[in-house]
Amino acid sequence: MVHLKVVPDDRRERTRELKRQRILAAAGAVIDREGLAGVTMQAVADQLDCAVGTLYTAFASKAALLAGLQAEAVATLEHSYRAGRARWDEDLATEDVEDSTRPLVELLAHAGFLAAAAVVYPDEVALVRELLGEAPPTAPPLERALAGELLPVVHRVLDPVVGRLGDAVDHQSLQPGDPVARALVWHASLLGVLRLDRLAPLDRHLFRAAPLARSLAEGLLVGWGGDGGEVEVASTWVERLTARGPLAPPPQ
């Protein structure tokens, strides 16, 4: 009797994941060379020196491939944010910061992180910007089948701000409000204003994205019930944190 050799499921899964990672790495190389707009299934296949059909065995569509890239981008930014926040926590632990001010400091530091990440991790920030709705006209439409895959990634983007907004409400630094809706407004607004850096050659003083992002973040906090004086104090603390080290630590 001939017995078929059964490949364990975990080995199959590892093989599939290795294929996905090779394709995502090739797509990343295309982005490095041609930018996000240059990512097509054919360009990625050419980078891998394989048939286009090979890509479809791992990703059902270009939208699915972009979703995979976005998940990796979020993971990279999460790593940088956690490293930066660990240093903020150490620095603030040695300082006499009011409990009500601390969440505002962390929120404004997050705005500074996004501004710094746009410089240190431009491709990752571009992918997150597209994830949150600012897609170029050539981007494939969002597929309903990807909703279950993308929604957790969106929440991973929002969670740090959702948590800090909750802390601010708990300490009565902000008025109560839907933290998820506010986090969406926070990211969409800040990622939008950071695009003004493209106009820097016209006027490097007027179109400085980082100060504009800080001003926008301060305005949002005041609009959500924050005391203007306390927000100003929090902003001063963020300036100190910025002077002590990068808010978005670069890749190791």
Side-chain angles (χ1 to χ4, degrees), residues 166-192:
D167 293 342
V169 171
D170 290 343
H171 286 93
Q172 299 183 336
S173 304
L174 298 178
Q175 294 175 354
D178 184 340
V180 176
R182 284 178 172 178
L184 281 168
V185 171
W186 180 268
H187 282 88
S189 302
L190 289 171
L191 290 173

Side-chain angles (χ1 to χ4, degrees), residues 93-131:
T94 64
E95 304 287 355
D96 186 19
V97 183
E98 295 287 340
D99 289 344
S100 60
T101 305
R102 176 71 178 263
L104 301 180
V105 175
E106 293 180 344
L107 284 164
L108 292 178
H110 181 273
F113 163 78
L114 286 179
V119 176
V120 181
Y121 303 97
D123 294 334
E124 286 78 2
V125 170
L127 283 162
V128 170
R129 184 182 287 119
E130 184 170 321
L131 174 66

Side-chain angles (χ1 to χ4, degrees), residues 1-87:
M1 182 179 295
V2 177
H3 295 278
L4 295 178
K5 183 178 179 181
V6 178
V7 179
D9 288 343
D10 60 342
R11 188 184 303 175
R12 288 198 187 94
E13 183 57 35
R14 287 198 301 272
T15 300
R16 283 194 293 267
E17 183 58 26
L18 284 172
K19 179 187 288 187
R20 282 175 53 87
Q21 290 303 317
R22 285 197 297 270
I23 293 172
L24 290 172
V30 173
I31 292 174
D32 290 341
R33 186 176 64 249
E34 302 178 28
L36 186 56
V39 177
T40 64
M41 299 299 267
Q42 185 61 60
V44 176
D46 291 344
Q47 179 69 31
L48 276 174
D49 193 21
C50 71
V52 173
T54 301
L55 306 188
Y56 287 102
T57 63
F59 296 96
S61 63
K62 178 184 174 181
L65 175 60
L66 288 176
L69 288 169
Q70 287 163 337
E72 288 210 332
V74 170
T76 298
L77 294 176
E78 281 179 329
H79 180 79
S80 178
Y81 176 75
R82 285 195 298 266
R85 190 179 172 199
R87 182 182 59 79

